[in-house]
Amino acid sequence: MIHHLLGEDVHVPKADETRLFSHGASAETGLPVQSREFVHTYGVYGVTLRSHIRLALPDYPGAGLAEIELQLRDRDYFAQAIAGVPLQWSRYSTYQYALLQSGVSYVRWKDVGEFLVSGDGRRITCCPARESHHESFQVYLLGQALSFALVKCGFEPLHATCIVVEGQAVAFLGDSGFGKSSLAAYFISAGDRLLTDDLLLLQQRPEGFLAYPGPPRIKLLPDMARKYLGGVDGGVPMNSATSKLVLPLDREKVWESPITLSAIYALSPPQALPDSQEVDFEPLASRQAFLEVSRNTFNYVILDCDRAGRQIKETARIVNTVPVKWLLHPRSLEALPSVRQAIIKDLREIAGRSRP
């Protein structure tokens, strides 16, 4: 697995593997640090990744909003790092985590891998589980694990899926199972493009909030993939506990550059079906919008005063700049064309009101 993740341009004889993990020591963990130069440079969410790991991401030689290093270590390294440290379960009991010395965060998914995120967020050290597929491993590395680094770097990622429709970016908020990715899959089938699935990073600019592209992949149940993306070829199970697949997307299905966010649509729970078969939007007052956006933060584990203050300020800026609305629609596949047309109409009205 280590050979595969390092990339085809790097050959590591078995006798030399230990040398990848044994040069110097980290001041944060007291564990050996890796000295080999980074061989890959990527960009995702506007951030530059200097990596020992080959990733399914576009090359990105320019500077980003931040620079984060990705390193591989063996299992013994992680066992030593967390020796004697009690682990906690996440709020959804999907992973375990701990706060180590000097602010280092440890995160583990049993059948995917484990990660250490430095106190300043500038380094992620990782080790895939033996049974983990590289696509599944990348989903957790570039989503959940990277969210720890982003928060430590001063960003506030949202749990959202973002689509570019007629040149305008729209974000769907909602818990897992609310249908964000299914909506996105239909939009893609209609010719729109995916900006990001699951993690959304926004940055305020004079023209509004820029939304940054995520990895060119989407997570879908097999029946939705077959219906809207033409099949499940190349799909890999996210983990052993779900049938949801990680599906890579061709370049013509993704939007690869930052774009101003035009609207945020919050999805209601699947059981909260509207009485009407009509698609409707309910604009949220500032307080409601603030609560909806803030509860869709991507990382619930890092809790400190500095972050809390930053979240309040960032969320207030978002809801004062970007329209936030409830999206109310029948939960049926037959309704999806009407949902898309209603959103296009709403976006045109928003654009019309913003013109001087």
Side-chain angles (χ1 to χ4, degrees):
M1 178 64 78
I2 287 177
H3 294 164
H4 181 75
L5 289 171
L6 284 172
E8 295 175 352
D9 54 338
V10 179
H11 173 66
V12 185
K14 186 170 183 60
D16 293 337
E17 269 191 9
T18 55
R19 282 189 281 174
L20 288 177
F21 307 99
S22 59
H23 295 277
S26 166
E28 293 175 327
T29 64
L31 298 171
V33 296
Q34 198 168 337
S35 66
R36 193 170 59 78
E37 293 184 1
F38 298 101
V39 294
H40 304 287
T41 302
Y42 302 107
V44 68
Y45 310 119
V47 172
T48 300
L49 303 180
R50 308 286 185 192
S51 178
H52 293 145
I53 307 167
R54 186 177 63 244
L55 301 172
L57 291 174
D59 292 336
Y60 191 80
L65 300 174
E67 186 172 304
I68 297 172
E69 299 175 356
L70 305 180
Q71 301 180 339
L72 279 171
R73 293 292 188 273
D74 61 11
R75 292 174 184 83
D76 290 342
Y77 181 92
F78 285 84
Q80 184 181 348
I82 64 170
V85 178
L87 302 181
Q88 301 181 63
W89 283 100
S90 69
R91 62 185 293 181
Y92 297 114
S93 298
T94 55
Y95 63 88
Q96 291 177 288
Y97 67 93
L99 182 63
L100 309 183
Q101 57 182 321
S102 302
V104 175
S105 295
Y106 170 81
V107 198
R108 176 174 71 192
W109 287 264
K110 184 181 68 173
D111 55 352
V112 175
E114 50 191 336
F115 306 87
L116 286 167
V117 184
S118 65
D120 62 3
R122 303 293 173 170
R123 185 187 312 114
I124 301 176
T125 306
C126 49
C127 179
R130 288 184 177 89
E131 62 272 29
S132 175
H133 190 282
H134 66 277
E135 283 290 341
S136 174
F137 177 75
Q138 286 187 53
V139 164
Y140 286 88
L141 167 62
L142 298 175
Q144 298 280 359
L146 186 57
S147 77
F148 281 79
L150 292 173
V151 171
K152 289 167 182 272
C153 287
F155 302 109
E156 283 303 326
L158 293 177
H159 183 205
T161 294
C162 194
I163 288 286
V164 178
V165 186
E166 293 192 339
Q168 295 190 75
V170 298
F172 300 123
L173 300 182
D175 289 344
S176 297
F178 276 30
K180 300 186 302 298
S181 297
S182 297
L183 267 177
Y186 174 76
F187 276 72
I188 293 170
S189 74
D192 304 310
R193 297 192 178 199
L194 178 75
L195 184 76
T196 185
D197 181 36
D198 229 18
L199 189 154
L200 172 63
L201 194 67
L202 300 173
Q203 284 289 289
Q204 191 169 25
R205 294 291 185 267
E207 65 273 24
F209 274 87
L210 278 186
Y212 287 85
R217 61 176 66 91
I218 191 169
K219 300 179 288 297
L220 285 175
L221 293 172
D223 57 343
M224 297 300 291
R226 282 188 284 266
K227 186 171 182 65
Y228 294 122
L229 298 184
V232 296
D233 291 345
V236 174
M238 275 187 62
N239 58 57
S240 61
T242 180
S243 59
K244 186 173 281 191
L245 300 175
V246 180
L247 293 143
L249 295 176
D250 297 332
R251 292 191 68 175
E252 64 269 15
K253 291 182 171 66
V254 297
W255 191 275
E256 296 181 313
S257 58
I259 182 171
T260 302
L261 185 65
S262 294
I264 296 173
Y265 298 108
L267 306 184
S268 56
Q271 63 272 20
L273 298 175
D275 295 332
S276 168
Q277 293 300 303
E278 299 296 322
V279 181
D280 196 13
F281 303 98
E282 182 180 313
L284 297 183
S286 296
R287 181 177 179 275
Q288 292 175 301
F290 181 93
L291 293 174
E292 191 61 29
V293 172
S294 61
R295 81 177 189 86
N296 279 281
T297 184
F298 197 86
N299 187 301
Y300 294 97
V301 172
I302 300 177
L303 302 171
D304 56 60
C305 292
D306 288 342
R307 188 190 181 192
R310 185 176 69 233
Q311 277 186 304
I312 291 171
K313 293 177 182 178
E314 181 76 3
T315 303
R317 284 194 290 262
I318 291 172
V319 302
N320 286 330
T321 305
V322 183
V324 182
K325 304 180 179 183
W326 281 114
L327 170 57
L328 306 172
H329 66 93
R331 294 307 175 99
S332 68
L333 299 184
E334 293 75 16
L336 292 180
S338 297
V339 174
R340 181 174 179 270
Q341 288 305 313
I343 286 177
I344 289 173
K345 180 181 178 182
D346 193 52
L347 288 173
R348 290 172 179 171
E349 292 176 356
I350 291 171
R353 288 194 295 270
S354 66
R355 294 192 188 104

